[in-house]
């Protein structure tokens, strides 16, 4: 176990050193926490914090807080969820070192279904968002496909090291339908069935630009 923690620590240090000046290198970093607490066999509580930076830490790009209540249509699977998100953004004004600030309130509905084929764990997430950005209103559709594959064990259990990948596409409901696409690859470690940590690299592709983000993620599914 110590060797596996050391491996994750080395990757963590690599991300810090490689991401020292994100504004010049166009590489940012996201710290992400995902909580999914089981209330009973049907109901669950989702809670999430994302702290996104233009560099490793300290140059805020966006702060996202998301929560919701979900219901399993079948035991431990096929989850429908109604949620709310608050997003504070600080994008740079083009060609300057100045920022402007925006606040968004978001209502969303989503459906998650999971599959397993041998060692491969697959998750599909379909999300519909209603976005209130200052005085503007927008809607957006998202499709998320993720894969988790344990490397040193047959299942995602205690002390398992696993490979992770996902792709998420965002579609607007108005003109300029393509919003963005996110492609990610990483490696994770399971402390137990309920707690895991993951580090990886995500490329976010927009209609006329792209940006690379390191991601450091912590997942907590301890029940109430």
């Amino acid at each position: 176990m110590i060797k596996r923690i050391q491996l994750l620590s080395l990757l963590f240090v690599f991300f810090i050193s490689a991401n020292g000046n994100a504004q010049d290198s166009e590489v940012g970093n996201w710290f992400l926490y995902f909580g999914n607490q089981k209330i009973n066999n049907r109901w669950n509580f989702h809670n999430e914090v994302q702290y996104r930076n233009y560099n490793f830490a300290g140059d805020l790009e966006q702060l996202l807080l998301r929560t919701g209540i979900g219901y399993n249509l079948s035991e431990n699977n096929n989850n429908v969820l109604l949620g709310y998100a608050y997003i504070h953004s600080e994008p740079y004004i083009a060609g300057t070192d100045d920022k402007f600030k925006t606040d968004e309130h978001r209502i969303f509905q989503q459906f998650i279904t999971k599959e397993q084929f041998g060692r491969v764990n697959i998750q599909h997430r379909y999300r519909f968002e209603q976005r209130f950005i200052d005085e503007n209103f927008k809607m957006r559709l998202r499709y998320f496909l993720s894969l988790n594959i344990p490397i040193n064990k047959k299942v995602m259990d205690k002390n398992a090291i696993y490979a992770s990948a996902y792709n998420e596409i965002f579609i607007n409901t108005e003109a300029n339908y393509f919003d963005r696409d996110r492609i990610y690859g990483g490696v994770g470690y399971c402390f137990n069935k309920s707690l895991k940590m993951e580090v990886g690299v995500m490329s976010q592709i927009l209609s006329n630009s792209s940006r690379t983000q390191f991601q450091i993620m912590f997942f907590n599914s301890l029940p109430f």
Side-chain angles (χ1 to χ4, degrees):
M1 178 177 177
I2 294 176
K3 290 183 178 180
R4 291 162 186 157
I5 294 175
Q6 288 174 337
L7 174 61
L8 286 174
S9 299
L10 287 172
L11 288 169
F12 184 81
V13 171
F14 169 76
F15 290 160
I16 294 175
S17 60
N19 196 18
N21 192 348
Q23 275 300 104
D24 294 334
S25 65
E26 293 301 318
V27 176
N29 183 64
W30 292 5
F31 296 95
L32 305 102
Y33 167 84
F34 298 96
N36 188 39
Q37 272 54 63
K38 182 178 179 180
I39 300 172
N40 55 40
N41 288 334
R42 290 292 183 179
W43 294 94
N44 67 287
F45 169 60
H46 178 79
N47 49 100
E48 181 179 336
V49 179
Q50 298 191 24
Y51 181 70
R52 302 172 176 179
N53 292 270
Y54 287 104
N55 55 13
F56 177 74
D59 188 5
L60 179 66
E61 177 184 6
Q62 193 171 76
L63 172 66
L64 184 150
L65 307 174
R66 183 182 283 128
T67 188
I69 294 293
Y71 180 80
N72 291 323
L73 300 178
S74 58
E75 187 173 357
N76 298 319
N77 199 2
N78 298 316
N79 184 266
V80 292
L81 183 140
L82 174 64
Y84 165 79
Y86 167 75
I87 302 96
H88 173 78
S89 302
E90 296 187 6
Y92 278 95
I93 300 172
T96 74
D97 292 328
D98 298 323
K99 293 181 176 181
F100 66 94
K101 300 178 181 181
T102 63
D103 291 304
E104 176 182 346
H105 299 274
R106 185 183 300 173
I107 300 170
F108 67 96
Q109 305 81 40
Q110 72 179 30
F111 173 69
I112 291 178
T113 184
K114 300 175 182 178
E115 304 172 282
Q116 185 169 348
F117 298 97
R119 291 193 178 196
V120 181
N121 299 274
I122 301 174
Q123 177 178 289
H124 306 267
R125 185 181 70 204
Y126 308 85
R127 180 178 289 171
F128 180 41
E129 299 176 327
Q130 300 84 53
R131 309 172 63 200
F132 301 86
I133 309 171
D134 293 331
E135 297 180 356
N136 298 317
F137 175 72
K138 300 179 180 180
M139 292 190 293
R140 187 169 63 183
L141 300 166
R142 299 167 59 166
Y143 170 65
F144 174 91
L145 171 65
S146 70
L147 305 174
N148 285 333
I149 307 171
I151 298 171
N152 62 328
K153 290 195 169 189
K154 293 183 178 180
V155 295
M156 299 279 290
D157 204 347
K158 184 178 180 180
N159 298 332
I161 297 173
Y162 64 94
S164 178
Y166 73 70
N167 180 232
E168 184 172 21
I169 187 167
F170 298 63
I171 301 296
N172 296 313
T173 59
E174 299 178 349
N176 301 319
Y177 295 105
F178 175 78
D179 186 88
R180 66 195 63 201
D181 188 27
R182 293 175 180 169
I183 302 172
Y184 166 88
V187 61
Y189 176 75
C190 296
F191 297 98
N192 53 47
K193 285 187 175 181
S194 301
L195 299 172
K196 61 183 181 179
M197 181 179 177
E198 193 173 314
V199 292
V201 178
M202 184 268 288
S203 177
Q204 180 162 239
I205 303 167
L206 306 175
S207 58
N208 54 6
S209 65
S210 64
R211 184 173 173 83
T212 301
Q213 312 282 0
F214 290 123
Q215 292 192 345
I216 301 169
M217 296 181 277
F218 184 76
F219 299 86
N220 168 21
S221 59
L222 290 169
F224 283 127

